[in-house]
Amino acid sequence: MEFIIDTIDLEEIKDAIEHMPIVGVTSNPSIVKNTHPEKFYDHMREIRNIIGKDRSLHIQVTAKKAEDMVKEAHKIHEEIDDAVYIKVPVSYEGLKAIKMLKKEGCPITATAIYDEMQAMMALAAGADYLAPYVNRIGNLGNDPYQLIANVSTRIDHDQYPTKIVAASFKGVQQIRDALDAGAQAVTAPVAILKQIFKNPSIDKAVDDFNADWYSMYGKGNSLLEVE
């Protein structure tokens, strides 16, 4: 199970990896627009410095033609490193680009998945991650969790090394449902992941424990001060 974050905000990334078991950072042009770094590659190199090589970094191409997607992938690897996962939308041209890049051994995150057969095609083409858009699929009246379950079953049945990284969330319940359906990973905004801990019962439990402790040993006498 992997928790990945949708952001390129440097302070947000630092905070998230200090507090949560975050294993990667994903971006796309819309996520980049939210932060709007003046020098894109300098900014992404700084993210790599923050997260290190042990965490994954996913950067999306912007071209629409397969050959141009491949050129952009090469540029990304030249500017950052060849461990970056290239995010490629699973369009007809995108699928061609995935095949071309996998022949070179490029790590691929197949994104913008709305349909089960899209996922199956990307799976067969060798994508390392498949990113179905949970909330957007649901908004179209389809069941994203059935898609995840079916593709997860296919991955297990045929022993693909590919992982499903569910994306496009509006709340914690959607994340939980995606994991329960069989997604091996999720990528979500930091703000949504933080919602997990915004539970008054958690705060009350901590406050009650503290009150019991200090009622015995006196205010200011934490575990560091008592004998």
Side-chain angles (χ1 to χ4, degrees):
M1 182 173 60
E2 299 179 2
F3 291 98
I4 302 172
I5 49 175
D6 284 340
T7 183
I8 65 161
D9 182 286
L10 301 182
E11 294 306 314
E12 195 170 47
I13 291 169
K14 291 175 185 176
D15 179 73
I17 65 175
E18 285 176 359
H19 289 82
M20 295 182 285
I22 301 302
V23 301
V25 169
T26 61
S27 69
N28 60 38
S30 298
I31 292 170
V32 172
K33 183 180 178 181
N34 289 336
T35 301
H36 196 186
E38 182 179 351
K39 295 182 178 180
F40 175 76
Y41 287 111
D42 283 349
H43 191 90
M44 301 311 284
R45 281 191 288 268
E46 181 58 24
I47 289 175
R48 174 59 87 195
N49 289 335
I50 292 168
I51 68 175
K53 282 290 189 76
D54 291 336
R55 294 184 178 90
S56 62
L57 178 59
H58 307 247
I59 299 177
Q60 188 163 322
V61 295
T62 62
K64 292 185 177 181
K65 285 291 191 180
E67 290 76 13
D68 293 330
M69 292 181 191
V70 170
K71 290 177 183 177
E72 290 185 348
H74 291 166
K75 173 74 170 178
I76 291 167
H77 281 175
E78 288 168 6
E79 292 286 346
I80 306 169
D81 58 58
D82 58 9
V84 174
Y85 285 82
I86 304 300
K87 289 181 70 177
V88 181
V90 187
S91 61
Y92 194 56
E93 286 292 309
L95 195 64
K96 179 181 178 181
I98 290 171
K99 291 178 62 182
M100 294 168 69
L101 288 167
K102 286 310 299 180
K103 284 182 180 179
E104 301 175 3
C106 178
I108 294 292
T109 299
T111 192
I113 293 175
Y114 289 84
D115 180 81
E116 185 175 326
M117 286 309 301
Q118 251 187 308
M120 295 297 190
M121 282 283 189
L123 180 63
D128 300 279
Y129 283 94
L130 306 174
Y133 284 174
V134 170
N135 190 69
R136 297 186 188 186
I137 292 170
N139 287 343
L140 293 172
N142 298 314
D143 187 347
Y145 311 112
Q146 190 61 56
L147 184 157
I148 290 170
N150 291 349
V151 176
S152 180
T153 296
R154 176 57 59 185
I155 289 171
D156 291 342
H157 182 272
D158 291 348
Q159 298 184 324
Y160 281 98
T162 306
K163 296 179 181 180
I164 298 170
V165 54
S168 175
F169 296 110
K170 293 299 182 184
V172 174
Q173 183 65 49
Q174 290 179 326
I175 294 175
R176 182 164 54 232
D177 289 344
L179 291 169
D180 288 345
Q184 293 84 5
V186 294
T187 183
V190 174
I192 291 179
L193 293 178
K194 283 186 173 181
Q195 287 293 329
I196 295 168
F197 309 100
K198 290 186 177 179
N199 183 330
S201 295
I202 298 173
D203 294 334
K204 185 178 186 305
V206 172
D207 290 342
D208 288 348
F209 290 142
N210 282 358
D212 287 341
W213 177 268
Y214 293 119
S215 71
M216 294 185 290
Y217 296 107
K219 187 176 181 181
N221 291 319
S222 72
L223 281 167
L224 298 176
E225 287 80 29
V226 296
E227 296 180 358

